[in-house]
Amino acid sequence: KAGVTQTPRYLIKTRGQQVTLSCSPISGHRSVSWYQQTPGQGLQFLFEYFSETQRNKGNFPGRFSGRQFSNSRSEMNVSTLELGDSALYLCASSLSSGQLVLAKNIQYFGAGTRLSVL
Amino acid sequence: EDKVVQSPLSLVVHEGDTVTLNCSYEVTNFRSLLWYKQEKKAPTFLFMLTSSGIEKKSGRLSSILDKKELFSILNITATQTGDSAVYLCAVGTSGTYKYIFGTGTRLKVLA
């Protein structure tokens, strides 16, 4: 079974540009979460999608947005890039989220997209 | 505000040593605690803990949860250089559909 796939692996952008990152979850997984990882802050939650609906959003500005498609693939978009957006963006998928069967909530991560903003 | 704190921040040991990593949490409506190992990019799942006092074990790694004192420990015995990584702790809460991560413990095992 293929794991979580994130594309692209690396991106270099300049301030003011926008970027779209893609995440294909493990087959059968319907929940996709996005995290930003920086050396000082660790993993910060961005948002979570389930069946094309965003169910939770972290404390990030509106420049960060996302969506999920009917096949559970997800994209996140960052507009008007700032230097501080340079980070590793990780996507994680799980069978579900918030279910009583807690093992279904285990998140499996992709390798991430390393974004550098110059 | 929900919070997960890991200690120590970093640790250097020699092969064969035993290490104990700590994760304490203050959250509303605790549901589960997960441990991950991150070597280069993708964190890989190690354990899920939901009940106090029940040890989870996988080879040289083991973990236990104390819901009364609000912490978990991850033990690694007979460490090897391949154990060098960042170990992440994450706590899930009811009704929020998200995990709160600690900043991790960076472990370096010297040959």
Side-chain angles (χ1 to χ4, degrees), chain A residues 30-49:
Chain A
R30 297 173 64 192
S31 171
V32 173
S33 297
W34 289 89
Y35 295 89
Q36 181 194 66
Q37 187 175 32
T38 57
Q41 298 292 319
L43 268 79
Q44 300 289 309
F45 173 76
L46 281 156
F47 22 68
E48 188 264 356
Y49 287 89

Side-chain angles (χ1 to χ4, degrees), chain B residues 38-69:
Chain B
Q38 186 176 25
E39 291 180 80
K40 289 180 182 177
K41 293 286 179 67
T44 53
F45 171 74
L46 295 174
F47 299 113
M48 171 182 260
L49 302 158
T50 58
S51 301
S52 277
I54 299 175
E55 186 184 50
K56 293 286 183 85
K57 198 169 169 64
S58 176
R60 298 176 293 102
L61 276 67
S62 63
S63 183
I64 198 160
L65 174 67
D66 186 327
K67 290 169 73 173
K68 183 179 177 186
E69 299 298 329

Side-chain angles (χ1 to χ4, degrees), chain A residues 19-96:
Chain A
V19 67
T20 299
L21 313 182
S22 180
C23 172
S24 293
I26 293 171
S27 178
H29 284 195
R30 297 173 64 192
S31 171
V32 173
S33 297
W34 289 89
Y35 295 89
Q36 181 194 66
Q37 187 175 32
T38 57
Q41 298 292 319
L43 268 79
Q44 300 289 309
F45 173 76
L46 281 156
F47 22 68
E48 188 264 356
Y49 287 89
F50 182 84
S51 293
E52 302 177 67
T53 299
Q54 184 185 93
R55 298 193 298 184
N56 203 347
K57 190 177 191 312
N59 295 325
F60 280 82
R63 302 184 295 107
F64 291 81
S65 62
R67 58 179 175 168
Q68 186 181 36
F69 302 95
S70 58
N71 61 358
S72 295
R73 191 178 71 84
S74 178
E75 288 180 348
M76 68 163 279
N77 185 278
V78 188
S79 62
T80 320
L81 284 166
E82 300 177 1
L83 295 179
D85 296 334
S86 295
L88 179 66
Y89 289 88
L90 290 165
C91 164
S93 74
S94 62
L95 279 167
S96 63

